Amino acid sequence: MDIAIIGAGVIGLATAWRVAARGAAVTLIDPAPGGGASSVAAGMLTPVSELAYGEEPLLRLGLASRDRYREFAAELEEATGLATGYRADGILEVAFDADDLRHLEEVRRFQESLGIPAEALTGRECRKLEPMLAPGVRGGLLAPEDGAVDPRRLAPALLAAAERHGARTVRRRAAEVIVEGGAAAGVRLADGGEVRADRVLLAAGPWSGEIGGLPPGVVPPVRPVKGQVIRLRSRVPFLRRCTRGVVRGFPIYLVPREDGEVVVGATQEEMGFDTRVTAGGLWELLRDARELVPGITELEFAEVSAGLRPGSPDNAPVMGPSALPGLVIGTGHFRNGILLTPVSADILAEALLEGTVPEVGRDFTPERLVGAP
Ligand code: GLY
């Protein structure tokens, strides 16, 4: 089977690896594989902390993906010899003031009601785990099974793994899906070339709605949600594990890596296709991060960047066969793209190769937003 994949972010790449390993002839189409949000994301693997209330189906999907990560990363590292930065040493979520602590207590009760372990800690216990935390931190929650991966390592490893199974990469922009006889038959490139295929996967993140050639109502609306991120560098061990916080109601996270990088994120802005880094965005991140971990002001500044998360109308992913035969949709991962990569690749591989969606993905098919195929 010939499969064309529009978009080589982590979702497109991981799916390419899975279907190429099962014998499909894959063409990835993306001017910058592993770029976009995949190169900006910090890479936390935390199914609970990024959720809004009432998102239990998404929580189940996130837990399923987190639980597949260890094996997924090990398999990928073994196949390519490339590290992914995977770690599962827990995530500490802390509260800055009394209101933030009340919020955290609600989160803990929510988790408990779902049977998810979360250890409530006093401020002192938090500082014992992370001595760099501010003396004022009121308390926290430890999610012992959460962790992180380094998306800037994950994406190249996925690309290498897909290429080892014969996937080819076309570093050009996709303009439209070619539709023939009422079915997807390939992809027309912006410069006029064509990639013919039996199946097309639309995994272009927030640009998924910008691809032409498709009948109306096939692709649910997907909007870009901007996130600005700062990368700092520490010469000495700084934080031991990913640390999140709520500072006067605003969420902030710090993701340390073994090489000394500390990623501080992220803003959440509805600004359309705007990836400008702004003074205000950076100021808010540094202000809140410094409240939690005052020592960050001593770290060396490395980089600022802004990415666009793909947000669907209900902020949940959209994965599965579409109303157009031959076209599978894989977008809308919003704040959870890195976390959801392993499970999404499994869901999308089945959708492409067999035309079905496994049980774990049934709540996230396109028809919930655009009607049945
Ligand atoms: N998952 C982190 C973020 O979207 O900022």
Side-chain angles (χ1 to χ4, degrees), residues 32-350:
S38 299
S39 67
V40 175
M44 269 175 311
L45 306 176
T46 174
V48 178
S49 319
E50 301 260 306
L51 288 188
Y53 288 111
E55 290 185 319
E56 278 93 345
L58 188 53
L59 174 64
R60 279 194 295 278
L61 189 72
L63 289 169
S65 202
R66 187 199 61 190
D67 294 344
R68 290 175 200 199
Y69 238 105
R70 184 181 298 279
E71 207 179 312
F72 178 82
E75 203 186 322
L76 185 57
E77 291 183 3
E78 162 119 28
T80 61
L82 298 171
T84 61
Y86 172 74
R87 56 195 288 181
D89 46 2
I91 289 189
L92 179 64
E93 180 142 22
V94 299
F96 179 69
D97 65 18
D99 286 342
D100 300 329
L101 193 58
R102 266 194 292 280
H103 164 77
L104 218 52
E105 180 50 26
E106 277 172 35
V107 173
R108 195 190 62 76
R109 274 202 290 270
F110 172 61
Q111 283 186 236
E112 212 172 60
S113 73
L114 298 164
I116 301 165
E119 201 182 326
L121 304 171
T122 63
R124 186 170 302 174
E125 286 168 333
C126 291
R127 280 184 293 281
K128 212 164 159 196
L129 286 178
E130 290 295 346
M132 298 304 283
L133 281 173
V137 161
R138 296 290 187 109
L141 269 186
L142 182 65
E145 291 166 29
D146 289 359
V149 70
D150 183 347
R152 289 182 174 184
R153 291 177 157 215
L154 178 67
L158 288 169
L159 180 59
E163 285 178 342
R164 272 168 194 239
H165 285 287
R168 89 188 164 101
T169 309
V170 172
R171 289 172 195 261
R172 283 143 72 186
R173 207 166 59 74
E176 58 182 40
V177 173
I178 300 168
V179 179
E180 281 174 5
V187 178
R188 190 160 290 114
L189 304 171
D191 62 9
E194 280 184 7
V195 175
R196 308 296 298 188
D198 306 305
R199 300 271 188 283
V200 174
L201 171 63
L202 179 55
W207 292 276
S208 298
E210 308 286 299
I211 301 295
L214 295 168
V218 166
V219 183
V222 188
R223 68 192 196 285
V225 184
K226 178 175 173 179
Q228 301 189 48
V229 164
I230 304 175
R231 282 176 160 79
L232 305 172
R233 192 157 292 286
S234 172
R235 293 202 187 142
V236 291
F238 186 69
L239 290 171
R240 295 174 182 157
R241 60 180 67 64
C242 300
T243 303
R244 300 178 57 94
V246 188
V247 178
R248 300 186 193 96
F250 291 100
I252 183 93
Y253 52 80
L254 294 96
V255 177
R257 302 211 200 282
E258 271 177 9
D259 65 0
E261 182 177 82
V262 180
V263 186
V264 181
T267 64
Q268 183 169 315
E269 304 162 71
E270 307 268 353
M271 301 281 293
F273 289 95
D274 167 17
T275 50
R276 284 171 307 155
V277 173
T278 62
L282 301 184
W283 177 73
E284 282 168 24
L285 292 176
L286 288 172
R287 178 197 63 195
D288 294 344
R290 191 183 66 159
E291 294 280 25
L292 287 188
V293 188
I296 65 146
T297 54
E298 302 302 321
L299 302 191
E300 187 183 340
F301 169 79
E303 188 191 319
V304 289
S305 49
L308 299 173
R309 310 171 179 97
S312 71
D314 59 8
N315 288 337
V318 187
M319 298 186 282
S322 73
L324 181 71
L327 178 76
V328 170
I329 296 175
T331 185
H333 289 73
F334 194 43
R335 296 186 67 110
N336 296 300
I338 306 296
L339 168 69
L340 295 178
T341 294
V343 78
S344 299
D346 292 343
I347 292 168
L348 293 170
E350 183 175 315

